[in-house]
Protein backbone atom coordinates (compact mmCIF):
# COMPACT_ATOMS: atom_id res chain seq x y z
CA UNK A 1 0.00 0.00 0.00
CA UNK A 2 1.48 3.41 -0.96
CA UNK A 3 2.24 6.05 1.64
CA UNK A 4 -0.23 8.94 1.82
CA UNK A 5 -0.79 11.15 0.03
CA UNK A 6 -0.70 8.52 -2.69
CA UNK A 7 -0.97 11.05 -5.51
CA UNK A 8 -0.47 14.62 -4.24
CA UNK A 9 -0.39 16.04 -7.76
CA UNK A 10 -4.12 15.46 -8.12
CA UNK A 11 -4.78 18.12 -5.46
CA UNK A 12 -4.79 20.89 -8.08
CA UNK A 13 -7.37 19.16 -10.29
CA UNK A 14 -9.54 17.56 -7.61
CA UNK A 15 -9.51 20.20 -4.87
CA UNK A 16 -8.24 23.51 -6.22
CA UNK A 17 -10.18 23.46 -9.51
CA UNK A 18 -13.25 21.40 -8.61
CA UNK A 19 -13.89 22.09 -4.92
CA UNK A 20 -12.44 25.60 -4.56
CA UNK A 21 -13.32 26.76 -8.09
CA UNK A 22 -9.68 27.86 -8.35
CA UNK A 23 -8.09 29.49 -11.37
CA UNK A 24 -6.06 27.62 -13.97
CA UNK A 25 -3.55 30.47 -14.08
CA UNK A 26 -0.12 28.86 -13.35
CA UNK A 27 0.83 31.63 -10.89
CA UNK A 28 -2.35 31.11 -8.88
CA UNK A 29 -1.94 27.32 -8.97
CA UNK A 30 1.61 27.64 -7.61
CA UNK A 31 0.44 30.05 -4.93
CA UNK A 32 -2.28 27.63 -3.86
CA UNK A 33 0.27 24.80 -3.65
CA UNK A 34 2.58 26.95 -1.52
CA UNK A 35 -0.24 27.64 0.94
CA UNK A 36 -1.09 23.94 1.15
CA UNK A 37 2.56 22.96 1.59
CA UNK A 38 3.59 25.67 4.04
CA UNK A 39 0.49 26.41 6.08
CA UNK A 40 -0.53 25.08 9.43
CA UNK A 41 -4.01 24.02 8.41
CA UNK A 42 -5.33 27.21 6.81
CA UNK A 43 -3.05 29.60 8.68
CA UNK A 44 0.16 31.02 7.23
CA UNK A 45 2.80 31.63 9.89
CA UNK A 46 5.88 32.93 8.02
CA UNK A 47 8.39 32.77 10.89
CA UNK A 48 7.23 29.33 11.94
CA UNK A 49 7.54 28.18 8.33
CA UNK A 50 11.24 29.08 8.34
CA UNK A 51 11.97 26.59 11.14
CA UNK A 52 13.22 23.19 10.08
CA UNK A 53 11.70 19.92 11.25
CA UNK A 54 13.76 17.69 13.50
CA UNK A 55 12.70 15.31 16.24
CA UNK A 56 14.65 13.67 19.04
CA UNK A 57 17.37 15.52 20.96
CA UNK A 58 17.55 18.26 18.33
CA UNK A 59 13.95 19.41 18.85
CA UNK A 60 14.26 22.63 20.84
CA UNK A 61 10.85 24.32 20.55
CA UNK A 62 7.28 23.72 21.60
CA UNK A 63 4.08 25.38 20.48
CA UNK A 64 0.40 25.47 21.14
CA UNK A 65 -1.91 24.20 18.44
CA UNK A 66 -4.15 25.97 15.99
CA UNK A 67 -6.68 23.29 16.95
CA UNK A 68 -6.96 24.74 20.45
CA UNK A 69 -9.26 27.67 21.18
CA UNK A 70 -6.51 30.31 21.00
CA UNK A 71 -6.19 33.70 19.36
CA UNK A 72 -2.51 33.36 18.54
CA UNK A 73 0.07 30.66 18.03
CA UNK A 74 2.97 30.76 20.47
CA UNK A 75 6.30 29.09 19.80
CA UNK A 76 8.96 29.04 22.51
CA UNK A 77 12.26 27.32 23.07
CA UNK A 78 12.43 24.37 25.45
CA UNK A 79 16.00 25.14 26.49
CA UNK A 80 18.65 27.83 26.15
CA UNK A 81 19.53 28.35 22.49
CA UNK A 82 22.77 30.14 21.67
CA UNK A 83 22.82 32.98 19.16
CA UNK A 84 23.17 31.54 15.68
CA UNK A 85 21.86 28.07 16.62
CA UNK A 86 18.98 26.72 14.58
CA UNK A 87 15.45 26.43 15.93
CA UNK A 88 13.76 23.11 15.19
CA UNK A 89 10.06 22.39 15.24
CA UNK A 90 8.28 19.10 14.79
CA UNK A 91 5.62 18.46 12.17
CA UNK A 92 4.64 15.36 14.09
CA UNK A 93 6.37 14.06 17.14
CA UNK A 94 7.30 10.50 16.32
Amino acid sequence: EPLHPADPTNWIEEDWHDVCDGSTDPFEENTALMVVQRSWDAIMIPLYDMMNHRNGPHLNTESNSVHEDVKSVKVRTTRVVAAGDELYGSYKKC
Side-chain angles (χ1 to χ4, degrees):
E1 184 174 323
L3 294 174
H4 294 285
D7 193 0
T9 58
N10 282 344
W11 183 86
I12 285 290
E13 290 81 18
E14 293 176 2
D15 291 297
W16 176 246
H17 294 157
D18 297 342
V19 176
C20 302
D21 197 27
S23 168
T24 57
D25 177 89
F27 180 80
E28 291 186 25
E29 288 179 340
N30 286 332
T31 303
L33 284 171
M34 287 173 49
V35 170
V36 168
Q37 293 168 5
R38 300 303 305 170
S39 67
W40 189 354
D41 290 338
I43 299 172
M44 296 292 290
I45 309 171
L47 282 175
Y48 189 80
D49 288 342
M50 290 192 288
M51 291 173 43
N52 284 320
H53 162 81
R54 196 149 186 198
N55 284 326
H58 303 285
L59 179 61
N60 57 10
T61 65
E62 63 184 12
S63 62
N64 61 342
S65 172
V66 296
H67 300 289
E68 298 170 5
D69 187 23
V70 296
K71 292 184 181 185
S72 61
V73 175
K74 295 179 183 175
V75 178
R76 60 184 153 267
T77 61
T78 56
R79 60 179 177 265
V80 175
V81 177
D85 284 354
E86 181 139 8
L87 298 177
Y88 293 106
S90 178
Y91 301 145
K92 296 205 186 293
K93 294 183 180 169
C94 53

